[in-house]
């Protein structure tokens, strides 16, 4: 019987079956005419309505313009975790996962695993090949684990079958999809097989008719725990719970915690995070919460704070706050080089000439911030002027940066002096840079001296915050201070590849207002992972971010969000949602749009790689006490001056106490 006839038999079953009792032929015919009205239907007419035309090939089936293939799963990973099939479920293409689960006799399965352990242990005694020994040990460990789970009443035994049905519009597309899916299955520690010359059996087994013709080849002894993990009931979960994981919030759909291991490079592409939300929806509270949690994990924390929202929490943690004003005593010399790491090289550069050239390119972005309409001709002139300032300072005679004192580096005053010399030597050339000359003079000889002078700040504390709010009334100065601070911190972060570091960049739209600044921010942002660091960039001015561009014309918003493996969206207005969808090419479901537009405080959409979930950010009691004393007093009816004794609230059972205090390990006692 061919495939077409089997399909027709499903629609119109024959009156006679193999297992039917044979009765008198005349009575059967009479009964068939009376009861089976399907006999009166013309099968040829039905064929014209359902033109089942199939061509079977060794590895696929073709029906018209549809090309179909079945992949059978012959083996599964020994250990699984929640939502472990998510990567396969989210893969693009027409992919159906078909599963059969049959009950198994517990007694027979116990006998099976006992014999497996006995046989493999016997083989192990007679095997000297290290590879074969490891394979046998894996068999034994797996069997023991299955028995342990059964004895703990945490599971029962089943037979498991899994098929993956693929469909494409052409054979080439089908082959590409097959290769893509096979690679994913292998990555998930599954063993995929294509039933060669069994296309009918494979295709038929994927139909929703509960008939598995490949059962003898795909069955695998399993248990209910493993089987349940294959179903997508936890699709909304983002849960990688480890001692070092970041707890982001509470999953609103499942009521479980959302945990991410930012240091696991196998699951987290980079540590960068972007946090977007309008005023009053919880963005700042969320970022302060992360500062508190990183502070107790021995991270080096840097904060760029344009709104003075982090000063109080930084000081309460014993950190340093540098208040930058137009005539502040704190100086960061824009011309000083602090690190031998440059964006254009993968390794450290010790050649001072190369470091200076890289610094001059970065200074062009800084000058562009000071003069918004700076032309390419002006930048070219400044290139030579700044180079002369470095030469005349005498720092190029040294071999390494650590040999040069802060006071020896050229300053903006030296650059201004070089421009003055140019006005005397080449008046025509000076005309092209005259406007910038007067602007620069206001920063060297005017009331604004923030950028002029040797670097004198101290970054010895574990938490350092740069308060830029005093510059709020001077947008160019604030934007210049923002970029200068970011460049300085980039150099500090790149000095040490081992120390764990976090840079909080709030209201990062200040770095997107100018093309040169956007370009540097984007290039640095992409490379934080290389230095064991992560940037948490937040903004409520999504419009400015969307409109910003790099020197190459790339949308800076798309670039920064695209280079953030983790994205957190708090409440946005309707226009903000539409702008992100249309200009940043991000898709939100209708449910997600409603959540974002509702703008409920503390509610957010978190996107971690390809996973996404609704979450609510909740502060612990201690976090609330530190962040919002008034809310703490109202909620707990306690003063905030003294920290409560949280240890007294923890009650441990005798068993837990024994587990925490014993030094005994498997294999003996740790005497070290």
């Amino acid at each position: 019987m061919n495939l077409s006839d089997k399909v027709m038999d499903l629609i119109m079953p024959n009156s006679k079956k193999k297992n039917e009792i044979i009765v008198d032929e005349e009575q059967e015919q009479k009964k068939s005419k009376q009861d089976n009205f399907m006999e009166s239907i013309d099968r040829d007419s039905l064929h014209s309505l359902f033109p089942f035309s199939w061509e079977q090939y060794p590895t696929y089936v073709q029906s018209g313009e549809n090309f179909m293939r079945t992949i059978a799963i012959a083996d599964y990973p020994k250990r699984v975790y929640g939502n472990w099939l998510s990567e396969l479920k989210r893969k693009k293409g027409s992919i159906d996962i078909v599963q059969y689960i049959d009950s198994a006799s517990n007694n027979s399965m116990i006998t099976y695993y006992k014999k497996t352990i006995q046989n493999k242990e016997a083989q192990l005694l007679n095997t000297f090949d290290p590879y074969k020994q490891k394979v046998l040990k894996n068999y034994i460990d797996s069997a023991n684990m299955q028995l342990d789970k059964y004895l703990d009443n945490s599971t029962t035994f089943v037979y498991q079958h899994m098929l993956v049905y693929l469909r494409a519009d052409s054979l080439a597309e089908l082959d590409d999809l097959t290769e893509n899916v096979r690679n994913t299955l292998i990555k998930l520690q599954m063993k995929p097989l294509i039933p060669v010359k069994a296309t009918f059996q494979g295709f038929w087994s994927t139909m929703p008719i509960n008939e598995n013709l490949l059962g003898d080849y795909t069955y695998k002894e399993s248990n209910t725990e493993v089987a349940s993990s294959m179903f997508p009931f936890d699709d909304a979960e983002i849960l990688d719970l480890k001692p070092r994981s970041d707890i982001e919030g509470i999953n609103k759909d499942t009521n479980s915690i959302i945990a991410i291991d930012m240091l696991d490079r196998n699951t987290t592409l980079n540590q960068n995070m972007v946090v977007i939300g309008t005023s009053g929806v919880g963005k700042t509270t969320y970022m302060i919460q992360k500062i508190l949690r990183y502070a107790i994990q021995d991270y080096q924390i840097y904060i760029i704070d344009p709104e003075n929202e982090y000063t109080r929490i930084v000081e309460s943690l014993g950190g340093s706050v540098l208040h930058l004003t137009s005539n502040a005593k704190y100086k960061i010399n824009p011309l000083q080089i602090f690190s031998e790491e440059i964006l254009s090289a993968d390794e450290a550069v010790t050649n001072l000439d190369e470091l200076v050239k890289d610094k001059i390119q970065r200074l062009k972005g800084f000058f562009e911030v000071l003069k918004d309409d700076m032309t390419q001709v002006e930048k070219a002139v400044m290139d030579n002027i700044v180079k002369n300032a470095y030469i005349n300072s005498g720092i190029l005679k040294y071999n390494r940066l650590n040999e040069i004192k802060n006071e020896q580096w050229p300053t903006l005053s030296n650059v201004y002096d070089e421009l003055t010399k140019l006005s005397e030597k080449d008046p025509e050339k000076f005309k092209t840079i005259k406007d910038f000359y007067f602007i620069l003079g206001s920063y060297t000889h005017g009331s604004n001296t923030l950028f002029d002078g040797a670097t004198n700040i101290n970054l010895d504390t574990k938490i350092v915050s740069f308060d830029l709010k005093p510059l709020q009334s001077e947008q160019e100065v604030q934007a210049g201070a923002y970029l200068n601070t970011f460049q300085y911190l980039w150099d500090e972060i790149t000095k040490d590849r081992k120390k764990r570091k976090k840079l909080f960049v709030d209201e990062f739209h200040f770095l997107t207002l100018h093309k040169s600044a956007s370009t540097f921010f984007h290039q640095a942002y992409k490379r934080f992972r290389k230095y064991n660091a992560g940037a948490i960039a937040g903004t409520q001015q999504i419009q400015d971010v969307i409109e910003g561009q790099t020197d190459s014309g790339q949308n800076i918003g798309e670039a920064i969000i695209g280079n953030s493996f983790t994205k957190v969206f708090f409440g946005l207005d309707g226009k903000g949602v539409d702008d992100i969808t249309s200009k940043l090419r991000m898709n939100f479901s209708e449910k997600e749009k409603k959540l974002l537009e509702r703008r409920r405080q503390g509610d957010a959409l978190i996107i971690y790689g390809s996973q996404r979930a609704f979450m609510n950010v909740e502060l612990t009691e201690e976090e609330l006490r530190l962040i919002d004393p008034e809310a703490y007093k109202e909620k707990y009816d306690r003063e905030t001056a003294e920290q409560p004794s949280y240890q007294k609230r923890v009650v441990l059972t005798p068993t837990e106490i024994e587990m925490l205090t014993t030094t005994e390990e498997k294999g003996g006692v740790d005497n070290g």
Side-chain angles (χ1 to χ4, degrees):
M1 183 182 294
N2 60 30
L3 185 59
S4 176
D5 290 336
K6 291 210 72 170
V7 173
M8 293 304 303
D9 281 343
L10 280 179
I11 300 172
M12 299 187 315
N14 294 325
S15 59
K16 291 184 178 181
K17 302 295 180 182
K18 293 181 181 179
N19 297 327
E20 289 180 349
I21 300 173
I22 300 175
V23 297
D24 183 82
E25 187 175 345
E26 293 182 0
Q27 293 180 355
E28 180 64 23
Q29 289 178 354
K30 185 177 179 180
K31 182 179 178 183
S32 180
K33 289 180 181 180
Q34 293 176 348
D35 300 335
N36 194 355
F37 69 93
M38 295 297 289
E39 291 289 339
S40 62
I41 296 180
D42 184 7
R43 292 174 72 95
D44 292 335
S45 299
L46 200 60
H47 269 290
S48 65
L49 296 173
F50 302 93
F52 291 100
S53 177
W54 307 88
E55 292 185 58
Q56 299 180 39
Y57 296 91
T59 63
Y60 67 95
V61 173
Q62 181 181 357
S63 175
E65 297 181 352
N66 294 304
F67 293 78
M68 295 153 285
R69 178 175 289 144
T70 300
I71 298 177
I73 307 301
D75 202 4
Y76 302 87
K78 299 295 185 292
R79 291 177 174 83
V80 295
Y81 50 89
N83 204 25
W84 68 286
L85 275 178
S86 61
E87 188 172 347
L88 180 63
K89 298 170 193 170
R90 293 186 173 90
K91 197 164 286 294
K92 292 182 179 179
S94 181
I95 305 171
D96 291 324
I97 302 174
V98 181
Q99 296 178 6
Y100 294 90
I101 298 177
D102 301 323
S103 60
S105 169
N106 288 335
N107 290 331
S108 62
M109 292 301 297
I110 290 171
T111 303
Y112 167 80
Y113 284 120
K114 284 170 58 179
K115 288 184 177 179
T116 298
I117 294 170
Q118 291 170 355
N119 293 335
K120 299 302 180 184
E121 285 179 344
Q123 292 179 37
L124 186 61
L125 293 173
N126 299 313
T127 302
F128 301 97
D129 187 325
Y131 175 76
K132 291 182 179 179
Q133 286 179 343
K134 285 186 177 294
V135 172
L136 291 170
K137 287 179 181 178
N138 285 337
Y139 274 115
I140 296 169
D141 291 342
S142 179
N144 278 315
M145 183 179 66
Q146 297 286 3
L147 288 176
D148 288 341
K149 288 183 176 181
Y150 175 75
L151 292 173
D152 291 339
N153 294 318
S154 61
T155 186
T156 188
F157 298 113
V158 295
Y159 291 114
Q160 193 168 344
H161 312 259
M162 179 174 168
L163 304 165
V164 182
Y165 169 75
L166 309 176
R167 190 199 66 77
D169 296 330
S170 68
L171 182 58
E173 290 182 17
L174 181 64
D175 289 338
D176 290 341
L177 181 61
T178 303
E179 185 64 20
N180 194 348
V181 170
R182 283 185 73 256
N183 291 337
T184 300
L185 292 170
I186 294 171
K187 179 182 175 182
L188 295 172
Q189 301 179 34
M190 305 174 81
K191 185 178 181 180
L193 298 175
I194 297 175
V196 179
K197 295 185 179 181
T199 53
F200 163 75
Q201 291 90 337
F203 180 81
W204 190 256
S205 300
T206 60
M207 291 287 171
I209 55 177
N210 197 29
E211 187 174 359
N212 184 10
L213 302 183
L214 295 176
D216 292 340
Y217 307 97
T218 60
Y219 80 91
K220 184 69 178 178
E221 299 86 0
S222 184
N223 57 58
T224 51
E225 183 183 12
V226 174
S228 65
S229 71
M230 304 185 72
F231 289 85
F233 298 131
D234 59 348
D235 224 22
E237 295 284 16
I238 303 176
L239 183 58
D240 188 8
L241 192 57
K242 302 173 184 174
R244 67 183 188 186
S245 295
D246 294 352
I247 308 300
E248 302 295 338
I250 303 297
N251 193 314
K252 290 176 65 68
D253 292 327
T254 64
N255 205 35
S256 61
I257 61 174
I258 293 176
I260 297 173
D261 183 4
M262 289 290 184
L263 301 178
D264 187 349
R265 296 197 173 192
N266 294 321
T267 58
T268 307
L269 185 63
N270 58 58
Q271 300 182 45
N272 293 344
M273 173 185 287
V274 65
V275 185
I276 297 173
T278 56
S279 178
V281 293
K283 173 182 70 69
T284 302
T285 300
Y286 172 74
M287 294 181 70
I288 293 175
Q289 182 188 62
K290 296 193 75 66
I291 291 172
L292 287 170
R293 295 181 179 183
Y294 285 131
I296 63 174
Q297 297 181 57
D298 199 36
Y299 275 85
Q300 177 65 58
I301 301 172
Y302 302 111
I303 306 166
I304 302 179
D305 181 11
E307 299 290 340
N308 194 28
E309 295 178 298
Y310 302 91
T311 295
R312 192 179 63 80
I313 198 68
V314 170
E315 290 178 344
S316 68
L317 294 172
S320 300
V321 179
L322 306 179
H323 302 280
L324 302 185
T325 63
S326 297
N327 55 1
K329 64 178 181 178
Y330 304 112
K331 305 282 186 184
I332 301 174
N333 184 4
L335 279 77
Q336 184 171 346
I337 303 171
F338 300 93
S339 173
E340 295 177 342
E341 300 279 344
I342 62 177
L343 291 172
S344 58
D346 293 329
E347 302 294 334
V349 176
T350 58
N351 186 298
L352 272 178
D353 286 331
E354 291 296 320
L355 292 173
V356 168
K357 288 178 182 178
D358 178 76
K359 186 65 175 179
I360 291 174
Q361 294 301 315
R362 290 160 56 175
L363 280 169
K364 290 178 182 179
F366 176 71
F367 293 151
E368 186 184 359
V369 174
L370 300 184
K371 186 177 183 293
D372 190 38
D373 58 347
M374 197 171 192
T375 65
Q376 289 299 320
V377 175
E378 289 176 301
K379 291 179 183 178
V381 174
M382 290 305 302
D383 190 303
N384 193 54
I385 290 293
V386 175
K387 186 177 180 181
N388 289 335
Y390 278 108
I391 294 172
N392 294 332
S393 69
I395 60 107
L396 294 180
K397 67 182 180 183
Y398 294 97
N399 296 319
R400 300 297 295 270
L401 290 181
N402 56 13
E403 299 174 2
I404 309 172
K405 297 178 180 179
N406 291 354
E407 295 78 16
Q408 293 177 271
W409 289 94
T411 64
L412 286 186
S413 288
N414 299 124
V415 176
Y416 182 83
D417 293 339
E418 292 296 328
L419 284 172
T420 304
K421 294 178 184 177
L422 181 67
S423 68
E424 299 170 356
K425 293 179 180 179
D426 195 341
E428 285 298 318
K429 191 176 186 179
F430 178 75
K431 284 183 181 179
T432 62
I433 202 71
K434 186 177 179 181
D435 290 344
F436 182 74
Y437 175 71
F438 290 120
I439 293 174
L440 187 62
S442 68
Y443 291 95
T444 57
H445 297 82
S447 60
N448 194 329
T449 59
L450 174 63
F451 307 119
D452 190 31
T455 303
N456 60 1
I457 63 174
N458 184 9
L459 299 184
D460 288 342
T461 57
K462 298 294 292 184
I463 308 174
V464 183
S465 177
F466 294 81
D467 171 27
L468 308 184
K469 190 173 183 179
L471 305 172
Q472 208 170 40
S473 59
E474 305 169 83
Q475 188 175 2
E476 292 80 9
V477 180
Q478 190 180 39
Y482 204 118
L483 178 60
N484 190 39
T485 304
F486 181 82
Q487 290 185 339
Y488 171 64
L489 291 177
W490 165 254
D491 282 355
E492 285 295 319
I493 287 170
T494 59
K495 285 181 180 180
D496 188 349
R497 295 176 182 244
K498 295 181 180 180
K499 185 187 295 183
R500 296 189 298 175
K501 303 164 287 280
K502 292 290 182 180
L503 172 61
F504 288 81
V505 187
D506 205 2
E507 305 302 339
F508 74 91
H509 62 272
F510 283 112
L511 288 171
T512 67
L513 300 176
H514 308 276
K515 290 184 178 181
S516 297
S518 295
T519 301
F520 177 76
F521 179 44
H522 176 221
Q523 291 174 340
Y525 198 81
K526 291 191 297 182
R527 294 168 69 90
F528 273 105
R529 179 177 183 267
K530 180 180 176 181
Y531 301 99
N532 198 24
I536 295 93
T539 186
Q540 57 180 335
Q541 302 294 336
I542 188 63
Q543 191 64 38
D544 290 340
V545 175
I546 289 173
E547 294 177 353
Q549 290 185 337
T550 64
D551 285 337
S552 62
Q554 186 178 9
N555 185 298
I556 186 61
E558 185 178 357
I560 294 300
I561 293 175
N563 279 286
S564 301
F565 196 73
T566 308
K567 310 167 187 66
V568 180
F569 294 93
F570 286 87
L572 296 168
D573 55 32
K575 189 177 184 307
V577 173
D578 293 338
D579 285 341
I580 292 175
T581 303
S582 60
K583 297 181 181 179
L584 300 185
R585 293 181 290 183
M586 291 192 65
N587 295 320
F588 295 118
S589 67
E590 289 301 318
K591 183 180 179 182
E592 291 169 346
K593 287 180 181 178
K594 289 180 180 178
L595 179 137
L596 294 174
E597 292 174 359
R598 194 179 297 138
R599 289 189 283 181
R600 185 175 294 172
Q601 190 175 30
D603 285 356
L605 169 68
I606 183 170
I607 301 176
Y608 172 67
S610 61
Q611 299 173 265
R612 51 178 71 200
F614 299 115
M615 78 171 180
N616 179 259
V617 178
E618 294 186 0
L619 298 176
T620 65
E621 182 179 339
E622 181 62 12
E623 289 170 347
L624 184 63
R625 187 182 75 89
L626 294 172
I627 296 173
D628 194 342
E630 291 298 322
Y632 173 84
K633 185 178 179 180
E634 182 179 348
K635 183 176 181 179
Y636 297 100
D637 194 26
R638 288 196 294 268
E639 297 295 331
T640 61
E642 294 184 7
Q643 184 185 64
S645 179
Y646 297 107
Q647 292 180 336
K648 293 180 179 179
R649 304 181 191 179
V650 180
V651 179
L652 300 177
T653 65
T655 304
E656 290 171 333
I657 295 172
E658 185 181 357
M659 291 178 64
L660 291 171
T661 55
T662 186
T663 59
E664 187 175 351
E665 302 282 350
K666 289 184 178 180
V669 177
D670 183 9
N671 295 318

